[in-house]
Amino acid sequence: QIVPVHVLKRSNPSLAVFFFSFMSLITAFTSVLPPELWIHLAVVACGNRLEETLVMLKSAVLFSHRKMRFHIFSEESLKSEFDKQLRQWPDSYTKKFEYRIYPITFSVGNPQEWKKLFKPCAAQRLFLPVILKDVDSLLYVDTDVLFLRPVDDIWKLLRQFNSTQLAAMAPEHEIPKIGWYSRFARHPFYGSAGVNSGVMLMNLTRIRSAQFKNSMIPTGLAWEDMLYPLYQKYKNAITWGDQDLLNIIFYFNPECLYVFPCQWNYRPDHCMYGSNCRAAEREGVSVLHGNRGVYHDEKQPTFKALYEAIRDFPFQDNLFQSMYYPLQLKFLETVHTLCGRIPQVFLKQIEKTMKRAYEKHVIIHVGPNQRR
Ligand SMILES: *[C@@H]1O[C@H](CO)[C@@H](O)[C@H](O)[C@H]1NC(C)=O
Ligand SMILES: *[C@@H]1O[C@H](CO)[C@@H](O)[C@H](O)[C@H]1NC(C)=O
């Protein structure tokens, strides 16, 4: 029987530190994967989103197993800072990914107009299937997303798509009665409460070859040909920019969308009016989405605590000692808030992720013949 490492750790801290050094052994295995098996992660970072983006990428690197390629779309002015900071990460982590930084470009329509849509640069995401022509599939996330478990786990959902599905998102709201789209939207939207585009899986190969039904012409349109006319038709009715356009697209093409549960895109909305994400209550939050700037103000201390714990974790340290225990302490201070009342929802996955990382190291070290 294998002794769980968190137990070992309590009795002998030096043992845990010793096991942790086997992390580098694991990352050595991941680098031999052929590129077609890599995970592709895309983000669009403009304005003051540099730090947030780096913390998101850090959370992806800390917990994932497979090699990743980051596609970072950014304004020219942020490029050198991305380069500088990513290169400062320790080798054992930089080995786990490659990255490319792209300028913001719009292939159809008026670039200035696209830039004005909701947030500067937000519309870039709609063009990923056109720009990343050599990439089969992609996980797109907003800069304010944090992975609390391996990216590998959400990536696996791509394989669950049926033959018509080509993208996956979580619902915008669990309860249509209090959802934004169901109460206010002046345009068509997916399902009963819309979808949130902050965490989005895309099979780009399928998106590039599909014909999409739409409200403009009776025959279908290819993705790239549909974007600008769609924007022209709805621009006066949309509030949330590209997310609204995606909702309109999947309203007309519901069979193309795979809807994953809220634990993969967990937002303040899921706890600030009382807990309304059942999947997260059961399994814990897998992907955290701190929208409305909650990592940077005092409105949702639980979200901020997680952000700061990951941001401040010194790469080479013991995850339990330097991240998990301080995080637990910080959570104790948030129990008076609506989201802080349910700390286990936030901590369950991240604790499990860390335990697994340790257990894996023990198994590799002890080897199959030496287990007791
Ligand atoms: C994406 O779709 C294409 C075409 O159906 C398929 O060949 C490919 O395996 C899919 N990618 C993933 C990761 O499922
Ligand atoms: C794929 O799943 C979606 C969503 O459940 C459904 O609307 C669609 O009909 C399914 N496609 C096929 C080919 O079964």
Side-chain angles (χ1 to χ4, degrees):
Q1 199 198 329
I2 300 164
V3 186
V5 188
H6 60 284
V7 177
L8 284 181
K9 190 194 156 288
R10 295 214 169 106
S11 53
N12 187 346
S14 68
L15 259 185
V17 173
F18 173 67
F19 291 132
F20 192 68
S21 67
F22 283 88
M23 191 72 192
S24 50
L25 195 63
I26 291 168
T27 55
F29 291 141
T30 62
S31 51
V32 296
L33 267 184
E36 57 285 5
L37 292 178
W38 292 8
I39 291 171
H40 290 263
L41 181 65
V43 65
V44 182
C46 291
N48 56 4
R49 300 305 185 112
L50 180 94
E51 180 193 271
E52 210 173 74
T53 307
L54 285 163
V55 179
M56 179 279 287
L57 295 173
K58 184 177 180 182
S59 73
V61 169
L62 281 179
F63 305 130
S64 297
H65 310 302
R66 252 203 251 185
K67 187 143 178 175
M68 290 178 283
R69 173 160 293 148
F70 298 151
H71 303 269
I72 304 169
F73 290 82
S74 172
E75 293 159 311
E76 193 56 34
S77 56
L78 298 183
K79 185 176 186 305
S80 60
E81 198 57 26
F82 268 119
D83 276 326
K84 189 174 132 206
Q85 299 222 24
L86 287 171
R87 283 183 193 150
Q88 276 169 3
W89 291 1
D91 284 352
S92 54
Y93 289 96
T94 51
K95 256 194 284 193
K96 290 173 80 175
F97 68 90
E98 287 177 6
Y99 71 95
R100 226 182 119 184
I101 301 176
Y102 308 75
I104 306 289
T105 50
F106 300 95
S107 58
V108 292
N110 177 346
Q112 289 317 317
E113 210 168 354
W114 285 119
K115 279 186 185 167
K116 274 189 289 191
L117 184 66
F118 186 38
K119 282 186 242 165
C121 305
Q124 180 72 91
R125 166 246 307 267
L126 298 171
F127 294 89
L128 297 177
V130 184
I131 299 168
L132 302 175
K133 285 216 162 61
D134 300 331
V135 178
D136 169 68
S137 293
L138 189 72
L139 173 60
Y140 166 90
V141 293
D142 285 351
T143 56
D144 51 9
V145 157
L146 293 171
F147 295 97
L148 306 188
R149 67 192 274 180
V151 181
D152 312 53
D153 295 342
I154 188 168
W155 189 254
K156 281 185 204 141
L157 299 179
L158 282 166
R159 288 278 167 215
Q160 295 188 14
F161 285 11
N162 67 23
S163 60
T164 48
Q165 287 163 333
L166 44 74
M169 285 181 268
E172 165 66 22
H173 221 285
E174 298 308 307
I175 309 163
K177 245 197 289 187
I178 55 172
W180 193 91
Y181 284 109
S182 30
R183 288 185 298 159
F184 305 118
R186 291 178 290 132
H187 57 76
F189 56 88
Y190 178 87
S192 58
V195 281
N196 181 285
S197 58
V199 180
M200 181 178 182
L201 282 165
M202 293 186 255
N203 182 321
L204 301 179
T205 307
R206 290 188 181 184
I207 292 177
R208 283 186 289 260
S209 64
Q211 291 291 313
F212 291 85
K213 296 191 281 298
N214 62 83
S215 55
M216 298 160 299
I217 61 163
T219 60
L221 278 172
W223 183 265
E224 188 178 12
D225 300 333
M226 167 180 62
L227 290 179
Y228 197 61
L230 198 70
Y231 167 71
Q232 285 297 333
K233 173 155 184 184
Y234 291 103
K235 65 179 175 187
N236 295 321
I238 61 186
T239 310
W240 305 109
D242 56 327
Q243 173 169 303
D244 292 348
L245 289 180
L246 288 165
N247 267 291
I248 297 168
I249 293 170
F250 291 108
Y251 168 85
F252 291 109
N253 301 271
E255 71 287 358
C256 296
L257 190 67
Y258 178 102
V259 178
F260 50 66
C262 45
Q263 53 142 323
W264 298 103
N265 182 348
Y266 190 88
R267 282 158 282 126
D269 269 356
H270 290 121
C271 48
M272 60 194 274
Y273 314 109
S275 176
N276 65 30
C277 174
R278 288 266 168 76
E281 281 168 35
R282 235 176 11 247
E283 298 174 42
V285 174
S286 298
V287 179
L288 190 76
H289 182 184
N291 62 357
R292 309 176 194 202
V294 293
Y295 299 141
H296 314 291
D297 62 24
E298 304 304 323
K299 295 206 179 99
Q300 300 296 342
T302 44
F303 283 76
K304 193 177 185 192
L306 269 159
Y307 178 76
E308 292 180 347
I310 295 172
R311 181 191 67 189
D312 300 339
F313 171 68
F315 275 103
Q316 303 291 38
D317 280 18
N318 176 307
L319 274 168
F320 271 99
Q321 231 150 47
S322 306
M323 189 186 302
Y324 192 66
Y325 297 144
L327 191 59
Q328 272 181 322
L329 286 180
K330 268 196 189 169
F331 264 70
L332 285 178
E333 296 163 18
T334 70
V335 291
H336 63 284
T337 66
L338 269 171
C339 292
R341 280 201 310 211
I342 45 171
Q344 69 285 3
V345 167
F346 290 86
L347 295 175
K348 208 174 194 166
Q349 270 306 329
I350 197 164
E351 182 180 13
K352 209 160 133 190
T353 302
M354 291 186 194
K355 275 187 188 151
R356 258 198 235 132
Y358 278 112
E359 272 154 14
K360 208 165 170 183
H361 305 154
V362 176
I363 293 164
I364 286 177
H365 175 58
V366 176
N369 302 326
Q370 292 169 50
R371 284 184 205 168
R372 279 174 291 151

